Amino acid sequence: MSAEAAAELAEQLPLEPNRRAALRSLAGKIPQSTPVLASQRPRPVGGPYAEVFPNGLRPGTSISVSAAHPALEAAALRNAVALAAGVVPPDGWVSVVGVSSLGVLAAVEAGLALDHLVFLEAPTTAWGSVAVAAVEAFDVVVLAVPARPRLAEVRRLAGRARERSTTVIATGPGAAAWGGEARVVTSAVTWHGLGDGHGSLRSCRVTVDLDGRGSVRARRMELMLGP
Amino acid sequence: MTPQRTVVVWWPDWPVVVAGRAADPVVVVANNKVVAMSAAARADGVRVGQRRREAQGRCPTAEVLPFDEGANARAFETVVAAVEELCPRVEAVRPGVLAFASRGPSRYFGGDAALIAQIRAVACDAVHTRLQLEVGAGPGVGVADGNFAASLAARAASSARDRVLYVPPGRSAEFLAPMPVAAIGDAAIADVARRLGLRTLGAFAALDPSDVVGRFGADGVTAHRRANGLEVRSLAPREPPPELSVEVVFDPPAETVDRIAFAARAVAAELEEGLRGRGLSATALVIEVETDHGEKRTRRWRSEGALNAAAVAERVRWQAEGWLTDVAQAVDDDAPTAGITLLRLAPDEVHEHAGTAQSLWGGASEANERVSRAIARVQGMLGPNAATTAVLVGGRGPGEQIQMIPWGDSRAVDAARANAPWPGRVPAPAPAMVLAAPVPIDVLDVSGHAVRVSGRGEVSAPPVTVVGPHGVDRVTGWAGPWPAEERWWDAAGNRRRARLQVQCESGAAHLCLIEGGCWFLEASY
């Protein structure tokens, strides 16, 4: 029972004044926050996503990363990789499930270690089993969700992820259906460094619409990705 | 206790013999490092472990051959089978080296000298008539107390005149004493010993055993006993309980090496797990297969140290190479005549395992194991290519710079290629989305004609619109082209391409590729 609930109870119950006072003092002794296991505590997020999740992310959180329209799919993928690199613990393992078009060099530039990065194929018929295997073993899973996933399967996966403290980053056509504790929608991209026939792409500013449950506030943010 | 008399047959430069080039100056190279060379190349100063370029510098006339592990194992299986006709319980150590206990066969043939002559004749005959290869100087044969001393004797014998080195019983320690400490077979211990000023095995052997265990632990005791010419353990090897052997059934019968090697990885891990659960590790292993026609083949493998899962799987692969190629060629009456239906791995000699234990709180090793198990599950479901890791190999296009490797295979790459400059490479950042196959698109100029790139690397007109998979998009910025002319010296492999970065109104930025006058969408940023 939390301290507030106990204090409230002390005021509401029909009690003699001295007993009420005793109950009030007991309520004051309950610690303000219940203790949390170290593995369940939010971990700080690194990289550009530090400003999106300033309080860190609890391992086991599911986040969907999608694009507002198809032309921004590559930018959404860049967001997903940046987020994965931000949340992976030191020496942690990352798997990329069913994202056949991911630019591996971009993942390296974002800070993922190739010797701890595993690419798993996920044909539609075996998607659920591959995803479960990945969620149960890896620290971070970048998961391509098919267009119309079975909702029961999605709920089961999210539950396993919470239980095993695996951070799931859902992308692909079904990312919006995934839901998750936070949703990151890439709505616009501006690239810098390119002129009219000269220069080269250098860095980009993405606009993301953020939405979610709990401590995640719905808002629009601008992030700088790239060096 | 004196170890049993052992004969080791060591065929120097086995890969060169297999290549059939013992007479010419040749160098065999794996992963850019020399693994074997012919006598002519050795005379010019080429040594094992040198970089390929250094070897070529020392012996410019030498031809460089790639190392073919499968061919080496296949050819050596013929030699082991021939020697096995003379004496039982022959143990393959690795391609090029075999060992057996000499007591029985030596009496049968009338002494060690007669036995050695027989073995050499049979081994040379196998190479000459069955494999049709140049014998060259033939193998070195060493006889001594115990496997370790016999191996070193065989190695020393391969440079002696008559190619035989006989260490009398009880004199192994004397024979070992002047050898350099690096021969101990444990790089970490050899390195420390050298820095302590112990330059020979004799000096290391003279240390007090209690000091050795204090400084080097269990591995140090093993090395110390070896240097003293003693049996590695004072206890007799334990007879393994039968339930430790593992097997896998193939239905339909396996006829490819890959299938057997893949299955072997899983059962080898199971075997190691079973042994470790009892605090044991295997130093000798019997690999047994049964074919569809009911034939049985077994082979005993020995290793100086404990055989871990990876080493076991590797030996199964070598063995399968040898047996299955025989099926295909049907050269030998002894060869299996059908696909393999059963593979059994039985530990033949086990010791108490004093190696690493898992850390108490799980930690990194537990996470790695969890990941390995999950990947094995996925590979079991969808095949070995369903789980891959990437390595950087160097190249120009974003897709060419990486190579995907099935999980469990070696991640070694050609460092020279990976670190070389690649003129024509588009600068960082890399695209986040690389299409598996480039998609045809149109890149048009202001008058609606396709933009062209001249041989001098100039565009015919600035691009204005891109017609791609997401419809028509107006270009707001562009740069390039980055021309890439590849293999201009090679008529068949020659490719001329150029890349263009374009940024569109929708926010998308693309890497477009022109080849043969056609535009493709290669990647998106």
Coordinates of all heavy atoms in Angstrom, one line a residue, chain A residues 69-75 77-78 93 101-106 109 114-115 117-121 123 126 129-130 132-133 136-138 189 191 194-202, chain B residues 368 370-371 374-375 377-378 381-382 385-390 392 398 401-402 404 407 411 427-434 470 477-479 482 501-503 506-509 524-525:
Chain A
H69 N 4.5 9.0 -44.1 CA 4.2 8.6 -45.5 C 5.4 7.8 -46.1 O 6.5 7.9 -45.6 CB 3.8 9.8 -46.4 CG 4.7 10.9 -46.5 ND1 5.7 11.0 -47.5 CD2 5.0 11.9 -45.7 CE1 6.4 12.0 -47.3 NE2 6.0 12.6 -46.2
P70 N 5.1 7.0 -47.1 CA 6.1 6.0 -47.6 C 7.4 6.6 -48.0 O 8.4 5.9 -47.9 CB 5.4 5.4 -48.8 CG 4.0 5.6 -48.7 CD 3.8 6.9 -47.9
A71 N 7.5 7.8 -48.4 CA 8.8 8.4 -48.8 C 9.7 8.6 -47.7 O 10.9 8.7 -47.9 CB 8.6 9.8 -49.5
L72 N 9.2 8.5 -46.4 CA 10.0 8.8 -45.3 C 10.4 7.4 -44.6 O 10.9 7.4 -43.4 CB 9.3 9.7 -44.3 CG 9.0 11.1 -44.8 CD1 8.2 11.9 -43.8 CD2 10.2 11.8 -45.2
E73 N 10.2 6.3 -45.3 CA 10.5 5.0 -44.7 C 11.9 4.9 -44.3 O 12.3 4.4 -43.2 CB 10.1 3.9 -45.6 CG 8.9 3.2 -45.3 CD 8.4 2.2 -46.4 OE1 9.3 1.5 -46.9 OE2 7.2 2.3 -46.8
A74 N 12.8 5.4 -45.1 CA 14.3 5.3 -44.9 C 14.6 6.1 -43.6 O 15.4 5.7 -42.8 CB 15.1 5.8 -46.0
A75 N 14.0 7.3 -43.5 CA 14.2 8.1 -42.3 C 13.7 7.4 -41.0 O 14.4 7.5 -40.0 CB 13.6 9.5 -42.5
L77 N 13.6 4.2 -40.6 CA 14.6 3.2 -40.3 C 15.8 3.8 -39.6 O 16.4 3.2 -38.7 CB 15.0 2.5 -41.6 CG 15.4 1.0 -41.6 CD1 14.3 0.2 -40.8 CD2 15.5 0.5 -43.0
R78 N 16.2 5.0 -40.0 CA 17.4 5.7 -39.4 C 17.1 6.0 -38.0 O 17.9 5.8 -37.1 CB 17.7 7.0 -40.2 CG 18.9 7.7 -39.8 CD 19.2 8.8 -40.7 NE 19.7 8.4 -42.0 CZ 21.0 8.1 -42.3 NH1 21.9 8.2 -41.4 NH2 21.3 7.7 -43.5
W93 N 23.3 -7.4 -26.8 CA 23.1 -8.0 -28.1 C 21.9 -7.4 -28.7 O 20.9 -7.2 -28.1 CB 22.9 -9.5 -27.9 CG 24.1 -10.2 -27.6 CD1 24.7 -10.4 -26.4 CD2 25.0 -10.9 -28.5 NE1 25.9 -11.1 -26.5 CE2 26.1 -11.5 -27.8 CE3 25.0 -11.0 -29.9 CZ2 27.1 -12.2 -28.4 CZ3 26.0 -11.7 -30.5 CH2 27.1 -12.3 -29.8
S101 N 16.2 -4.7 -45.7 CA 16.7 -3.6 -46.4 C 17.5 -2.6 -45.5 O 17.9 -1.5 -45.9 CB 15.6 -2.8 -47.1 OG 14.7 -2.3 -46.1
L102 N 17.8 -3.1 -44.3 CA 18.6 -2.1 -43.4 C 20.0 -1.9 -43.9 O 20.7 -2.8 -44.2 CB 18.6 -2.7 -42.0 CG 19.4 -1.9 -40.9 CD1 18.6 -0.7 -40.6 CD2 19.7 -2.7 -39.7
G103 N 20.4 -0.6 -43.9 CA 21.8 -0.3 -44.3 C 22.7 -0.6 -43.1 O 22.6 0.1 -42.1
V104 N 23.5 -1.6 -43.3 CA 24.4 -2.0 -42.2 C 25.4 -1.0 -41.8 O 25.7 -0.7 -40.6 CB 25.1 -3.4 -42.5 CG1 25.9 -3.8 -41.4 CG2 24.0 -4.4 -42.8
L105 N 25.9 -0.3 -42.8 CA 26.9 0.8 -42.6 C 26.2 1.9 -41.7 O 26.9 2.5 -40.8 CB 27.3 1.4 -43.9 CG 28.4 0.6 -44.6 CD1 28.7 1.3 -46.0 CD2 29.6 0.5 -43.8
A106 N 25.0 2.2 -42.0 CA 24.3 3.2 -41.2 C 24.2 2.8 -39.7 O 24.3 3.6 -38.8 CB 22.9 3.5 -41.8
E109 N 27.5 3.4 -38.2 CA 27.7 4.8 -37.9 C 26.9 5.3 -36.7 O 27.3 6.2 -36.0 CB 27.3 5.6 -39.1 CG 28.3 5.6 -40.2 CD 27.8 6.2 -41.6 OE1 26.7 6.7 -41.6 OE2 28.6 6.1 -42.5
L114 N 29.1 -4.5 -34.7 CA 28.7 -5.5 -35.7 C 28.8 -6.9 -35.1 O 28.1 -7.8 -35.5 CB 29.6 -5.5 -36.9 CG 29.2 -4.5 -38.0 CD1 30.0 -4.7 -39.2 CD2 27.7 -4.6 -38.3
D115 N 29.8 -7.1 -34.1 CA 29.9 -8.5 -33.6 C 28.8 -8.8 -32.6 O 28.8 -10.0 -32.1 CB 31.3 -8.8 -33.1 CG 31.7 -7.7 -32.0 OD1 31.0 -6.7 -31.9 OD2 32.8 -7.8 -31.4
L117 N 25.6 -7.8 -33.3 CA 24.4 -7.5 -34.1 C 24.1 -8.7 -35.0 O 24.9 -9.1 -35.8 CB 24.7 -6.2 -35.0 CG 23.6 -5.7 -35.9 CD1 22.4 -5.3 -35.1 CD2 24.1 -4.5 -36.7
V118 N 22.9 -9.2 -34.8 CA 22.5 -10.5 -35.6 C 21.2 -10.2 -36.4 O 20.3 -9.6 -35.9 CB 22.2 -11.6 -34.6 CG1 21.9 -12.9 -35.3 CG2 23.4 -11.9 -33.7
F119 N 21.3 -10.6 -37.7 CA 20.1 -10.4 -38.6 C 19.4 -11.7 -38.7 O 20.0 -12.7 -39.1 CB 20.6 -9.9 -39.9 CG 21.4 -8.6 -39.9 CD1 22.7 -8.6 -39.5 CD2 20.7 -7.4 -40.1 CE1 23.4 -7.3 -39.4 CE2 21.4 -6.2 -40.0 CZ 22.7 -6.2 -39.7
L120 N 18.1 -11.7 -38.4 CA 17.3 -12.9 -38.4 C 16.3 -12.7 -39.6 O 15.6 -11.7 -39.6 CB 16.6 -13.2 -37.1 CG 17.5 -13.4 -35.9 CD1 16.6 -13.6 -34.7 CD2 18.4 -14.6 -36.1
E121 N 16.1 -13.8 -40.4 CA 15.1 -13.7 -41.4 C 13.8 -14.1 -40.7 O 13.7 -14.9 -39.8 CB 15.4 -14.8 -42.4 CG 16.2 -14.3 -43.6 CD 16.5 -15.4 -44.6 OE1 15.7 -16.4 -44.6 OE2 17.6 -15.3 -45.2
P123 N 10.2 -15.0 -42.5 CA 9.2 -15.2 -43.5 C 7.8 -15.1 -42.7 O 7.7 -15.5 -41.6 CB 9.4 -16.6 -44.1 CG 10.3 -17.3 -43.1 CD 11.1 -16.2 -42.4
A126 N 6.6 -17.9 -40.4 CA 7.4 -18.2 -39.2 C 7.6 -16.9 -38.3 O 8.4 -17.0 -37.4 CB 8.7 -18.9 -39.5
S129 N 7.3 -17.2 -34.4 CA 8.2 -18.0 -33.7 C 9.6 -17.3 -33.7 O 10.3 -17.4 -32.7 CB 8.3 -19.4 -34.3 OG 7.4 -19.6 -35.3
V130 N 10.0 -16.7 -34.8 CA 11.3 -16.1 -34.9 C 11.3 -14.9 -33.9 O 12.3 -14.7 -33.1 CB 11.7 -15.6 -36.3 CG1 13.0 -14.8 -36.3 CG2 11.8 -16.8 -37.2
V132 N 9.5 -14.4 -31.2 CA 9.6 -14.9 -29.8 C 11.0 -15.3 -29.4 O 11.5 -14.9 -28.4 CB 8.6 -16.1 -29.6 CG1 8.9 -16.8 -28.3 CG2 7.2 -15.6 -29.6
A133 N 11.7 -16.1 -30.3 CA 13.0 -16.5 -30.0 C 13.9 -15.3 -29.8 O 14.8 -15.3 -28.9 CB 13.6 -17.4 -31.2
E136 N 13.1 -13.4 -26.5 CA 13.6 -14.1 -25.3 C 15.0 -14.0 -25.0 O 15.5 -14.3 -23.9 CB 13.1 -15.5 -25.3 CG 11.6 -15.6 -25.2 CD 11.1 -17.0 -25.1 OE1 11.9 -17.9 -25.4 OE2 9.9 -17.2 -24.8
A137 N 15.9 -13.7 -26.0 CA 17.3 -13.8 -25.9 C 18.1 -12.5 -26.0 O 19.1 -12.3 -25.3 CB 17.9 -14.8 -26.9
F138 N 17.6 -11.6 -26.8 CA 18.4 -10.4 -27.1 C 18.1 -9.3 -26.1 O 17.0 -9.3 -25.5 CB 18.2 -9.9 -28.5 CG 18.9 -10.8 -29.5 CD1 18.2 -12.0 -30.0 CD2 20.1 -10.6 -30.0 CE1 18.9 -12.8 -30.9 CE2 20.8 -11.4 -30.9 CZ 20.1 -12.5 -31.3
V189 N 11.5 15.4 -42.9 CA 13.0 15.3 -42.9 C 13.6 16.4 -43.7 O 13.1 16.8 -44.7 CB 13.4 13.9 -43.5 CG1 15.0 13.8 -43.4 CG2 12.8 12.8 -42.9
W191 N 17.4 17.4 -45.1 CA 18.9 17.1 -45.2 C 19.7 18.3 -45.4 O 19.3 19.3 -46.0 CB 19.1 16.1 -46.3 CG 18.8 14.7 -45.9 CD1 17.7 14.0 -46.1 CD2 19.7 13.8 -45.3 NE1 17.8 12.7 -45.6 CE2 19.0 12.6 -45.1 CE3 21.1 13.9 -44.9 CZ2 19.6 11.5 -44.5 CZ3 21.7 12.8 -44.3 CH2 20.9 11.6 -44.1
L194 N 23.7 19.3 -49.1 CA 23.6 19.1 -50.5 C 23.2 20.4 -51.2 O 22.3 21.1 -50.8 CB 22.5 18.0 -50.7 CG 22.6 17.2 -51.9 CD1 23.9 16.4 -51.9 CD2 21.4 16.2 -52.0
G195 N 24.0 20.8 -52.2 CA 23.8 22.0 -53.0 C 23.1 21.6 -54.3 O 22.6 20.6 -54.5
D196 N 23.2 22.6 -55.2 CA 22.7 22.3 -56.5 C 23.8 21.8 -57.4 O 24.5 22.6 -58.1 CB 22.1 23.6 -57.1 CG 21.2 23.3 -58.3 OD1 20.9 22.2 -58.5 OD2 20.9 24.3 -59.0
G197 N 24.2 20.5 -57.3 CA 25.3 19.9 -58.1 C 26.6 19.9 -57.3 O 27.6 19.6 -57.9
H198 N 26.6 20.3 -56.0 CA 27.8 20.2 -55.3 C 27.6 19.8 -53.8 O 26.4 19.7 -53.4 CB 28.6 21.5 -55.3 CG 27.7 22.7 -54.8 ND1 27.6 23.0 -53.5 CD2 26.9 23.5 -55.5 CE1 26.7 24.0 -53.4 NE2 26.3 24.4 -54.6
G199 N 28.6 19.5 -53.1 CA 28.5 19.1 -51.7 C 28.1 17.6 -51.6 O 28.3 16.9 -52.6
S200 N 27.7 17.2 -50.4 CA 27.2 15.8 -50.3 C 26.4 15.8 -49.0 O 26.5 16.7 -48.1 CB 28.4 14.8 -50.1 OG 29.0 15.0 -48.9
L201 N 25.5 14.8 -48.9 CA 24.6 14.8 -47.7 C 25.5 14.7 -46.4 O 26.4 13.9 -46.4 CB 23.7 13.5 -47.8 CG 22.7 13.6 -48.9 CD1 22.0 12.2 -49.0 CD2 21.6 14.6 -48.7
R202 N 25.1 15.5 -45.4 CA 25.9 15.5 -44.2 C 25.1 15.1 -43.0 O 25.5 14.1 -42.3 CB 26.6 16.8 -44.0 CG 28.1 16.8 -44.4 CD 28.9 17.9 -43.9 NE 28.4 19.2 -44.4 CZ 28.8 19.7 -45.6 NH1 29.5 19.0 -46.4 NH2 28.3 20.8 -46.0
Chain B
N368 N 25.7 -14.4 -23.8 CA 26.1 -15.0 -25.1 C 25.5 -16.3 -25.3 O 25.1 -16.6 -26.4 CB 27.7 -15.1 -25.0 CG 28.3 -13.7 -24.9 OD1 27.6 -12.7 -25.0 ND2 29.6 -13.7 -24.8
R370 N 22.7 -17.5 -24.1 CA 21.3 -17.4 -24.4 C 21.1 -17.0 -25.9 O 20.2 -17.6 -26.5 CB 20.7 -16.3 -23.5 CG 19.3 -16.5 -23.0 CD 19.0 -15.4 -22.0 NE 19.2 -14.1 -22.5 CZ 19.7 -13.1 -21.8 NH1 19.9 -13.3 -20.5 NH2 19.9 -11.9 -22.3
V371 N 21.9 -16.1 -26.3 CA 21.8 -15.6 -27.7 C 22.1 -16.8 -28.7 O 21.4 -17.0 -29.6 CB 22.7 -14.4 -27.9 CG1 22.9 -14.2 -29.4 CG2 22.1 -13.2 -27.3
A374 N 19.2 -19.1 -28.9 CA 18.0 -18.6 -29.7 C 18.3 -18.6 -31.2 O 17.5 -19.0 -32.0 CB 17.8 -17.1 -29.3
I375 N 19.6 -18.3 -31.5 CA 20.0 -18.4 -32.9 C 19.9 -19.8 -33.5 O 19.4 -20.0 -34.6 CB 21.3 -17.7 -33.1 CG1 21.3 -16.2 -32.8 CG2 21.8 -17.9 -34.6 CD1 22.6 -15.6 -32.7
R377 N 18.0 -22.0 -32.5 CA 16.6 -22.4 -32.7 C 16.1 -21.9 -34.1 O 15.4 -22.6 -34.8 CB 15.8 -21.7 -31.6 CG 14.7 -22.6 -31.1 CD 14.2 -22.1 -29.7 NE 13.0 -21.3 -29.8 CZ 12.6 -20.4 -28.9 NH1 13.3 -20.2 -27.9 NH2 11.5 -19.8 -29.1
V378 N 16.4 -20.6 -34.4 CA 16.0 -20.0 -35.6 C 16.6 -20.7 -36.8 O 15.9 -21.1 -37.8 CB 16.3 -18.5 -35.7 CG1 16.0 -17.9 -37.0 CG2 15.5 -17.8 -34.6
M381 N 15.0 -23.9 -37.5 CA 13.7 -23.8 -38.1 C 13.8 -23.4 -39.6 O 13.1 -24.0 -40.5 CB 12.9 -22.6 -37.4 CG 11.6 -23.0 -36.9 SD 10.8 -21.6 -36.0 CE 12.0 -20.5 -35.4
L382 N 14.7 -22.5 -39.9 CA 14.7 -21.9 -41.3 C 16.0 -22.2 -42.1 O 16.2 -21.7 -43.2 CB 14.5 -20.4 -41.2 CG 13.2 -20.0 -40.5 CD1 13.2 -18.5 -40.3 CD2 12.0 -20.3 -41.3
N385 N 21.2 -20.1 -43.1 CA 21.3 -18.7 -43.7 C 20.3 -17.7 -43.1 O 20.3 -16.6 -43.4 CB 21.2 -18.7 -45.2 CG 22.4 -19.3 -45.8 OD1 23.5 -19.3 -45.3 ND2 22.2 -20.0 -46.9
A386 N 19.4 -18.2 -42.2 CA 18.4 -17.4 -41.6 C 18.9 -16.5 -40.5 O 18.3 -15.5 -40.2 CB 17.2 -18.2 -41.1
A387 N 20.1 -16.8 -40.0 CA 20.7 -15.9 -39.0 C 22.1 -15.6 -39.4 O 22.9 -16.5 -39.6 CB 20.7 -16.7 -37.6
T388 N 22.3 -14.3 -39.6 CA 23.6 -13.9 -40.2 C 24.1 -12.7 -39.4 O 23.4 -12.0 -38.6 CB 23.4 -13.4 -41.6 OG1 22.3 -12.4 -41.7 CG2 23.1 -14.5 -42.6
T389 N 25.5 -12.5 -39.5 CA 26.1 -11.3 -38.9 C 26.8 -10.7 -40.1 O 27.0 -11.3 -41.1 CB 27.1 -11.6 -37.8 OG1 28.1 -12.5 -38.4 CG2 26.5 -12.3 -36.6
A390 N 27.1 -9.4 -39.9 CA 27.7 -8.7 -41.0 C 29.2 -8.4 -40.7 O 29.6 -8.2 -39.6 CB 27.0 -7.4 -41.3
L392 N 32.6 -5.9 -42.4 CA 32.9 -4.8 -43.3 C 34.0 -5.4 -44.2 O 35.0 -5.9 -43.7 CB 33.4 -3.6 -42.6 CG 32.4 -2.9 -41.7 CD1 33.0 -1.7 -41.0 CD2 31.2 -2.5 -42.4
P398 N 27.1 1.0 -51.1 CA 26.7 0.7 -49.7 C 26.5 -0.8 -49.5 O 26.8 -1.3 -48.4 CB 25.5 1.6 -49.5 CG 25.0 1.9 -50.8 CD 26.1 1.9 -51.8
Q401 N 30.0 -3.0 -49.5 CA 30.9 -2.8 -48.4 C 30.7 -3.8 -47.3 O 31.6 -3.9 -46.4 CB 30.9 -1.4 -47.9 CG 31.4 -0.4 -48.9 CD 31.3 1.0 -48.4 OE1 31.6 1.3 -47.2 NE2 30.8 1.9 -49.2
I402 N 29.6 -4.5 -47.3 CA 29.3 -5.4 -46.2 C 29.1 -6.8 -46.8 O 28.7 -7.0 -47.9 CB 28.1 -5.0 -45.3 CG1 26.9 -4.9 -46.3 CG2 28.4 -3.8 -44.6 CD1 25.7 -5.2 -45.6
M404 N 27.4 -10.6 -45.6 CA 26.6 -11.3 -44.5 C 27.2 -12.7 -44.4 O 27.4 -13.4 -45.4 CB 25.1 -11.3 -44.9 CG 24.5 -10.0 -45.2 SD 24.7 -8.8 -43.9 CE 23.5 -9.4 -42.7
W407 N 25.6 -17.2 -39.1 CA 26.0 -17.3 -37.7 C 26.8 -18.6 -37.5 O 26.3 -19.6 -37.9 CB 24.8 -17.2 -36.8 CG 25.2 -17.3 -35.4 CD1 25.2 -18.5 -34.6 CD2 25.7 -16.3 -34.5 NE1 25.6 -18.3 -33.4 CE2 25.9 -17.0 -33.2 CE3 25.9 -15.0 -34.6 CZ2 26.4 -16.3 -32.1 CZ3 26.4 -14.3 -33.5 CH2 26.6 -14.9 -32.3
R411 N 34.3 -15.0 -38.9 CA 34.1 -13.6 -39.2 C 35.4 -13.0 -39.8 O 35.5 -11.8 -39.9 CB 33.6 -12.8 -38.0 CG 32.2 -13.1 -37.7 CD 31.8 -12.3 -36.4 NE 32.1 -10.9 -36.5 CZ 31.3 -10.0 -36.9 NH1 30.1 -10.4 -37.4 NH2 31.6 -8.7 -36.9
P427 N 30.8 9.6 -49.9 CA 31.2 9.8 -48.5 C 30.0 9.6 -47.5 O 28.9 9.5 -47.8 CB 31.6 11.3 -48.5 CG 30.9 11.9 -49.7 CD 30.8 10.8 -50.7
A428 N 30.4 9.4 -46.2 CA 29.5 9.2 -45.1 C 28.6 10.4 -45.0 O 29.0 11.5 -45.4 CB 30.2 8.9 -43.8
P429 N 27.4 10.3 -44.4 CA 26.8 9.1 -43.7 C 26.3 8.1 -44.8 O 26.0 8.5 -45.9 CB 25.6 9.8 -43.0 CG 25.3 11.0 -43.7 CD 26.6 11.5 -44.3
A430 N 26.1 6.9 -44.3 CA 25.7 5.8 -45.2 C 24.1 5.8 -45.2 O 23.5 6.3 -44.3 CB 26.2 4.5 -44.7
P431 N 23.6 5.3 -46.3 CA 22.1 5.3 -46.4 C 21.5 4.3 -45.4 O 22.1 3.3 -45.1 CB 21.8 4.8 -47.8 CG 23.1 4.2 -48.3 CD 24.2 4.9 -47.5
A432 N 20.3 4.6 -44.8 CA 19.7 3.8 -43.8 C 19.0 2.6 -44.4 O 18.8 1.6 -43.7 CB 18.8 4.6 -42.9
M433 N 18.6 2.8 -45.7 CA 17.9 1.7 -46.3 C 18.6 1.3 -47.6 O 18.8 2.2 -48.5 CB 16.5 2.2 -46.6 CG 15.6 1.1 -47.2 SD 14.0 1.8 -47.7 CE 13.0 1.4 -46.3
V434 N 19.1 0.1 -47.7 CA 19.7 -0.4 -48.9 C 18.9 -1.5 -49.5 O 18.6 -2.5 -48.9 CB 21.2 -0.9 -48.6 CG1 21.8 -1.4 -49.8 CG2 22.0 0.1 -47.9
H470 N 7.6 5.7 -55.3 CA 6.6 6.5 -54.6 C 6.1 7.6 -55.5 O 5.6 8.6 -55.0 CB 7.2 7.0 -53.3 CG 7.7 6.0 -52.4 ND1 7.0 4.9 -52.0 CD2 8.9 5.8 -51.8 CE1 7.7 4.1 -51.2 NE2 8.9 4.7 -51.1
G477 N 17.8 19.3 -54.4 CA 19.3 19.4 -54.3 C 19.9 18.1 -54.8 O 19.3 17.0 -54.7
W478 N 21.1 18.2 -55.3 CA 21.7 17.0 -55.8 C 23.2 17.2 -55.8 O 23.7 18.4 -55.8 CB 21.2 16.7 -57.3 CG 21.6 17.7 -58.3 CD1 20.9 18.9 -58.5 CD2 22.7 17.7 -59.2 NE1 21.5 19.6 -59.5 CE2 22.6 18.9 -60.0 CE3 23.7 16.8 -59.5 CZ2 23.5 19.2 -61.0 CZ3 24.6 17.1 -60.5 CH2 24.5 18.3 -61.2
A479 N 24.0 16.1 -55.8 CA 25.4 16.2 -55.9 C 25.9 14.9 -56.6 O 25.3 13.9 -56.7 CB 26.0 16.3 -54.5
W482 N 29.5 10.4 -58.6 CA 30.7 9.7 -58.2 C 30.9 8.5 -59.1 O 30.2 7.5 -59.0 CB 30.5 9.1 -56.8 CG 30.7 10.2 -55.7 CD1 31.8 10.5 -55.1 CD2 29.6 11.0 -55.1 NE1 31.6 11.5 -54.1 CE2 30.2 11.8 -54.1 CE3 28.3 11.1 -55.3 CZ2 29.5 12.7 -53.4 CZ3 27.5 12.0 -54.6 CH2 28.2 12.8 -53.6
Q501 N 23.7 11.6 -55.6 CA 22.8 11.8 -54.4 C 21.7 12.9 -54.8 O 22.1 13.9 -55.3 CB 23.6 12.4 -53.3 CG 24.4 11.3 -52.5 CD 25.1 11.9 -51.3 OE1 25.4 13.1 -51.3 NE2 25.5 11.1 -50.4
V502 N 20.5 12.5 -54.6 CA 19.4 13.5 -54.8 C 18.6 13.7 -53.6 O 18.3 12.7 -52.9 CB 18.5 13.2 -56.1 CG1 19.3 13.2 -57.3 CG2 17.8 11.9 -55.9
Q503 N 18.1 14.9 -53.4 CA 17.2 15.2 -52.3 C 15.9 15.7 -52.9 O 15.9 16.5 -53.8 CB 17.9 16.3 -51.4 CG 17.2 16.6 -50.2 CD 17.8 17.8 -49.5 OE1 18.9 18.2 -49.9 NE2 17.1 18.4 -48.6
S506 N 9.7 15.7 -51.1 CA 9.0 14.9 -50.1 C 9.8 14.7 -48.8 O 9.3 14.3 -47.8 CB 8.6 13.5 -50.6 OG 9.8 12.8 -50.9
G507 N 11.1 15.1 -48.9 CA 12.0 14.9 -47.7 C 12.9 13.7 -47.9 O 13.9 13.5 -47.2
A508 N 12.6 12.8 -48.9 CA 13.4 11.6 -49.1 C 14.7 12.1 -49.8 O 14.7 13.0 -50.5 CB 12.7 10.7 -50.0
A509 N 15.8 11.3 -49.5 CA 17.1 11.5 -50.1 C 17.5 10.2 -50.6 O 17.4 9.2 -49.9 CB 18.1 12.1 -49.2
S524 N 18.3 4.6 -50.0 CA 17.7 5.8 -49.5 C 18.3 6.2 -48.2 O 18.6 5.3 -47.4 CB 16.2 5.6 -49.4 OG 15.6 5.4 -50.6
Y525 N 18.4 7.5 -48.0 CA 19.0 8.0 -46.8 C 18.0 8.2 -45.6 O 16.9 8.2 -45.9 CB 19.8 9.3 -47.0 CG 21.1 9.0 -47.8 CD1 21.1 9.0 -49.2 CD2 22.3 8.8 -47.1 CE1 22.2 8.7 -49.9 CE2 23.4 8.5 -47.8 CZ 23.4 8.5 -49.2 OH 24.6 8.2 -49.9

